[in-house]
Each structure stands twice: as structure tokens, then as C-alpha cells.
Amino acid sequence: MDISVIIVSYNTSELLGKCVDALNKAKGTLSLQVIIVDNASQDGSRALLENKFSDCDLIFNEVNVGFGRANNQALPLLQGRYVLLLNTDAFISSDTLDKTINYMESSPNCGVLGVKLVGRDGELQPSCRYFPYPISVFMSRSGLARFFSGIKLVDDLSWDHDSVRKCDWVPGCYYLIRREVVDQIGLFDPRYFLYYEEVDHCRAVKNAGWDVVYFPDTMVIHLGGESAKSEGELTPGSQQIEALQIESELLYFRKNHGFMAVCVGAILTSLADIIQVIKKLLKCKRPIGFANYYKHIALVWRLLILTRFGSYPTR
């Protein structure tokens, strides 16, 4: 088997058919194993999968176990030389599989490969990212990054996206992994319920001596946030659920940078919110929506305590 494709679905029954259709149209002469993990969807996904996707390997969860853990459930079933993690809201181009596999075949030290991601409107999405650190996250959230050009922001887009380049991490919506990497270091840390799984995994991949590569010679249309919409209110503009995103960030900082980093991160996040409030006041804006900043600060510190300073997940 050439590729084992893992698709985790959570209340995205309307996207499953389109996602798998695009996958089948692109496979060409490649042999595919498709594993679909349904994360306790409530939108009729189970009946759809049993009726129309019986040729796939199906896993049904009774409860939503989270994105990373659901992907991990497919590990015992893997048959492919490569493992592809594909989101239900990510639609590959007709040449995506051939081109990315060919690149991996010609680049034996490439452990993980990501591609150029664009939205429904064709607008470029962050596809090749830097590792987050408390200071870089603070600079981005506070709006002070423009005064400190030397700091690498996580979602920096100010570079040529038409050239192959090694990077820190690539998003998990199209995440191609060499099988040897999976056998060596595994897949996702189960502590992350949602968000930061691929960030943490790419760090482990690089620490093991492999390259993480951005490959722009094919394109994937990524809608973004489709599963998250059914799990809670999305933060404006970012399509992230605040509580889960904050918790995963705390867990990531504690695991990879230690106790002081998670504490500094919480302080800087709160300071960034305060700076945003001050900036709005200086612009003589009415205090409408300011309560959201205070709620965000309270949520950060509440989760800091609940996770025991980033040591344990809450779910």
C-alpha cells in the first residue's frame, strides 16, 4: 500500500463525500487505504459512513475523544509506506498526491510534508509556520510586532510562498508523514484535545533528525474551522475555540519549554489584552466589548490552575 489516509470526522457529514471524492480522483496509480474515524458525530455521519463508505476502514467513537487521540486510533490499522492526515474540510488538487509522494521519494530526510493552503476564495492561508514562543505570541496578540521585526511570528506570511523550504511546522489539514517517522516517534501526544498537536509533533520530528518541509508545487483548498463550529463559540477572525486553544498552548509551553515559560506565557497573554484595552481607550473608543478582554484574561488564569500550570489536560 502506498498511502494510508486518516480522516477524522466530527459533525462534517456534508463534507465527507467531497473530501473522499477529491482524494479518489487524485490517486492515479497510487494505492490508498482510507481510514475514517468518526468522533461521536451527531449529524447522521455514522449512517452515511456505513452506507456509502463501506470500502474504507471505519472507526466509530462513542464520545468525542479529540483530534489527536482520534488520529492515534488509526495507528494499528496502517498499511501504507506513507501516512496522510487529511481534514474533511481540505480538498486536494488532482496532482497533490503524485507530486507530494514524488517529492518524499526524492528527499529521504523529509519526515513531514505540508503544501500550499488557500481558502475558498483563493486567499493564501498560513502554510509554513514558525514555532510559537511566549514572546512571539505576545507580540502578535498585542500588535507590537511591527516595532520588533526580528521576532519570528507564528503565522508570518511576508515571504515567497512559491519555493520549497524547510520550516518549523506545517498545519495538520494536509499532513504527509513518512512511515518510518510514525514507527520511530509515533503520532500525536494525547494530551492535546484540539490544537497544537501538529506543532508538538513537528518539534518531535525535527528533534529526531528529520526535516519538516513546505511544498508549494500543489494546492489544497482548506475551509477551516468546520468541526470546531459544533464544539463551541469561535473566536472572531481566527476560528478557534478559546478555551481549547488556550489550554493546548499552556500544555505545549510546559512540555517543551518548562514551568517558567508557561507562567511567562500567561502573564504576557494578559498583558497583551491590557495593551489592547489601553490602545482602544487612547483612540477614545467607547468601552463596548472590553469585557471580552477581561473574560479572556480570567479564562487564561483559570485554565492555568486547572491544568496545574500546563501539566495535565482537563479533558
Side-chain angles (χ1 to χ4, degrees), residues 123-291:
E123 183 176 355
L124 180 69
Q125 296 180 353
S127 310
C128 171
R129 297 171 165 180
Y130 293 108
F131 286 134
Y133 295 92
I135 187 63
S136 62
V137 173
F138 166 73
M139 288 296 177
S140 179
R141 287 176 177 161
S142 65
L144 299 178
R146 56 186 175 141
F147 301 112
F148 300 89
S149 58
I151 293 180
K152 297 177 179 178
L153 302 182
V154 175
D155 291 336
D156 180 24
L157 289 170
S158 60
W159 50 273
D160 171 26
H161 281 68
D162 295 325
S163 302
V164 175
R165 62 183 282 174
K166 296 177 185 178
C167 61
D168 286 345
W169 67 281
V170 293
C173 51
Y174 185 93
Y175 195 83
L176 184 61
I177 319 167
R178 193 178 298 276
R179 179 62 181 271
E180 293 94 317
V181 171
V182 177
D183 292 339
Q184 180 182 356
I185 67 171
L187 199 50
F188 292 142
D189 187 328
R191 281 179 289 186
Y192 303 103
F193 185 87
L194 187 63
Y195 305 116
Y196 277 82
E197 305 95 338
E198 67 268 57
V199 189
D200 184 74
H201 188 255
C202 281
R203 181 174 285 277
V205 169
K206 291 171 73 72
N207 287 342
W210 299 91
D211 294 330
V212 175
V213 176
Y214 163 73
F215 180 79
D217 295 346
T218 186
M219 184 175 65
V220 168
I221 297 174
H222 177 228
L223 305 185
E226 295 301 313
S227 293
K229 288 178 182 177
S230 58
E231 188 67 10
E233 183 178 354
L234 303 180
T235 55
S238 68
Q239 294 189 314
Q240 293 180 328
I241 306 166
E242 279 192 336
L244 292 175
Q245 193 274 338
I246 292 169
E247 177 173 328
S248 292
E249 185 173 280
L250 294 173
L251 294 169
Y252 174 82
F253 283 154
R254 180 61 186 265
K255 175 183 176 181
N256 293 286
H257 302 296
F259 175 78
M260 286 303 299
V262 77
C263 293
V264 169
I267 292 170
L268 289 178
T269 294
S270 302
L271 180 58
D273 285 330
I274 293 170
I275 289 174
Q276 290 294 346
V277 170
I278 292 173
K279 287 166 65 176
K280 291 181 182 297
L281 289 173
L282 291 176
K283 292 179 180 178
C284 299
K285 291 190 175 182
R286 296 174 60 190
I288 297 176
F290 284 12

Side-chain angles (χ1 to χ4, degrees), residues 12-13 21 23 25 40 42 48 71 73 76 96 138 189 204 211 224 230 240 245 247 251 260 269 276 292 308:
T12 55
S13 60
D21 282 347
L23 188 65
K25 289 177 182 177
Q42 302 297 315
L48 173 70
N71 276 287
Q73 287 179 299
T96 299
F138 166 73
D189 187 328
D211 294 330
S230 58
Q240 293 180 328
Q245 193 274 338
E247 177 173 328
L251 294 169
M260 286 303 299
T269 294
Q276 290 294 346
N292 291 332
R308 302 181 194 177

